[in-house]
Amino acid sequence: MQSKQEILEKLTGISSSRKSYYSELVYLVEEMKKKNRQLAVINQLTHIQIDATWQQTSSYIAQQLSQILAFEHFTLTIVKGGTPTSYLCMRTDTDWQCHTLTHPHCPDTANFPEQLHHKLAQTLPQHYATSVSLRNPLNQTFGYLTLLREEQRPADPEEAELIQLVARHVGVIVENSLLFQDVNEKIKIEAQLIQSAKMAAIGEMAAGIAHELNSPLTAILGNSQLLLRETADAPTAPLMRDIYQCGVRCKKIIQNLLTFSRQEEYLFETVSIDEVVEDVLGLIGYQLSVCGLTITREMNEPSLLFHGSRHQIEQVVINLLLNARDALSEQEAPRILIRSFPVEEDGVRYAGLSVYDNGTGIPAEQLSQIFQPFFSTKERTKGTGLGLSVSLGIAEAHGGKLYAQSEENRYSEFTLLLPLLIKEEEHQHHGAETDIDCG
Ligand SMILES: Nc1ncnc2c1ncn2[C@@H]1O[C@H](COP(=O)(O)OP(=O)(O)OP(=O)(O)O)[C@@H](O)[C@H]1O
Ligand SMILES: [Mg+2]
């Protein structure tokens, strides 16, 4: 028969003298508790919301891992299309504060951790970084987990194994999120394609209808004007005036629709931004000044040139100025500032023109809608909601951009960018400068 000691050894896996038996048992229980905690945390990691932002995901991982690993700060890096982005979570008293760090395109991920550690050392000096990669089944790296510690710790194989295990689990979660974003993106692009196909069809139809309506409308406008002149004092005059006003409004809509569907041919030529602003203020400057507006101009010296349709760009500037006027109608010291400036975006040099007003501003939730056709917050008789969508179409047809910045009750600023036309001699001069720089 086995001795009591042997049976205990078999049951507990502890072979020891009675003296150290209890302390070893306590140690074993502690180890099991630790392993249980690790399993619980790894299980918790799988609960990350698939549609969470990377900042939220990174903070969540940091929060969970801090229960089983000792570190001060944490970074999750995601590599998408060869460009890594890091989400650095810094520990605060109550939770984690996440900062986004961008990196240049990095086709070879092999030496990225070194680059990342270097960058992190600038933000968090006197911290030691340890990174582990996130890999897919094809052994391609699509991210990194980085722990930042205030002191360098000796290598601990058990801990290294745990970090690898965590990385495998986090890897699956991150891959799922990437897949989810990919599918979402595709659905969005598909919706956009359908929308633009629809818009193209509507544009073509609208242009046809607009052409058809143009002639009868000319007759309505001409005849009502004639009748108005002859019966100015008649009791029917207000009705006649109403017919005329409605006709004018229809004409404006038709004109906008024609431009919107780009059915009108325009002559492209070399135009200076200064001339455009000059002409527009000549046209509507009086209309604006009688509203009590102060208009200031800050034009770049020398004047900036672009290749395009003077008529269309004038139309854009008129739209922007009239919108500014409308936004300023109830303002105390209404002010419009027109500025021109050269600017470089994504390697392209543009002539920039901005129209600033200290009017009503645009609520944040409307900012994404204002360029949509027929979006208007104005009374039906005042706005058609086509001004900005037509203007955006014109800017894009010129290879340019049009965007808005605004703060409700403070200001709106619309910026039009048109590819800058550089005069031949300036071009040569610029080339010479570059040569000197390189040399
Ligand atoms: N400078 C601005 N300040 C505040 N809101 C603006 C400004 N410019 C445009 N908006 C908002 O954007 C909407 C759309 O402008 P858009 O020029 O396209 O149409 P609209 O001015 O309403 O009508 P339309 O120009 O066709 O007569 C406006 O109704 C207004 O709510
Ligand atoms: Mg408008």
Side-chain angles (χ1 to χ4, degrees), residues 75-78 84-88 98-103 112 116 119-120 123:
T75 301
L76 169 71
T77 302
I78 305 292
T85 311
S86 300
Y87 303 93
L88 166 63
C98 195
H99 305 268
T100 306
L101 305 178
T102 52
H103 309 282
F112 174 71
L116 172 67
K119 190 157 192 165
L120 287 171
T123 320

Side-chain angles (χ1 to χ4, degrees), residues 252 318-320 322-324 326 376 378 382-388 391:
K252 193 177 155 194
I318 291 175
N319 277 333
L320 298 182
L322 291 182
N323 278 349
D326 294 343
S376 179
K378 296 169 193 172
K382 272 194 170 170
T384 65
L386 282 170
L388 284 177
S391 301

Side-chain angles (χ1 to χ4, degrees), residues 62 66 70-76 87-92 95-97 99 120 123-130 145-150:
S66 66
F71 59 90
E72 269 70 49
H73 310 296
F74 169 82
T75 301
L76 169 71
Y87 303 93
L88 166 63
C89 294
M90 310 238 272
R91 199 191 283 266
T92 66
D95 56 0
W96 298 83
Q97 214 166 40
H99 305 268
L120 287 171
T123 320
L124 292 165
Q126 283 147 21
H127 276 75
Y128 297 91
T130 329
L145 302 183
T146 307
L147 302 183
L148 290 137
R149 291 167 165 146
E150 277 173 0

Side-chain angles (χ1 to χ4, degrees), residues 252-430:
K252 193 177 155 194
I253 295 176
I254 286 172
Q255 215 84 59
N256 275 333
L257 280 176
L258 281 174
T259 321
F260 180 65
S261 53
R262 303 212 194 100
Q263 295 277 320
E264 283 180 309
E265 291 286 322
Y266 285 104
L267 176 73
F268 268 48
E269 54 186 331
T270 300
V271 191
S272 95
I273 290 269
D274 284 26
E275 277 173 40
V276 169
V277 173
E278 191 72 33
D279 288 354
V280 167
L281 289 179
L283 268 174
I284 61 163
Y286 175 73
Q287 219 187 99
L288 298 178
S289 60
V290 290
C291 300
L293 304 176
T294 314
I295 304 174
T296 320
R297 262 183 281 181
E298 280 176 18
M299 307 305 282
N300 189 71
E301 265 303 326
S303 177
L304 303 168
L305 300 177
F306 64 91
H307 183 69
S309 154
R310 175 195 298 268
H311 177 79
Q312 281 188 316
I313 299 301
E314 279 178 6
Q315 199 181 334
V316 174
V317 181
I318 291 175
N319 277 333
L320 298 182
L321 286 172
L322 291 182
N323 278 349
R325 177 203 61 187
D326 294 343
L328 287 165
S329 61
E330 280 164 25
Q331 218 57 27
E332 264 183 23
R335 199 158 60 80
I336 293 180
L337 172 64
I338 306 171
R339 271 188 323 121
S340 80
F341 50 89
V343 62
E344 191 168 323
E345 264 188 29
D346 305 325
V348 183
R349 296 173 76 193
Y350 292 100
L353 181 74
S354 69
V355 175
Y356 167 100
D357 69 75
N358 62 340
T360 55
I362 304 162
E365 67 276 10
Q366 280 175 11
L367 212 50
S368 59
Q369 298 174 37
I370 55 173
F371 291 100
Q372 281 171 12
F374 301 108
F375 176 85
S376 179
T377 54
K378 296 169 193 172
E379 294 166 32
R380 272 200 56 73
T381 49
K382 272 194 170 170
T384 65
L386 282 170
L388 284 177
S389 64
V390 168
S391 301
L392 178 65
I394 293 175
E396 287 178 348
H398 280 74
K401 303 177 187 186
L402 177 66
Y403 54 81
Q405 286 161 300
S406 179
E407 221 177 287
E408 204 177 354
N409 297 324
R410 300 222 24 215
Y411 80 98
S412 297
E413 183 168 46
F414 284 80
T415 305
L416 169 70
L417 299 183
L418 297 168
L420 184 66
L421 197 67
I422 302 161
K423 278 193 222 133
E424 200 50 38
E425 59 269 33
E426 249 184 76
H427 200 68
Q428 280 162 6
H429 182 60
H430 188 73

Side-chain angles (χ1 to χ4, degrees), residues 218-228 240:
T218 312
I220 292 174
L221 279 171
N223 290 342
S224 58
Q225 224 170 351
L226 274 179
L227 280 174
L228 251 178
M240 222 49 239

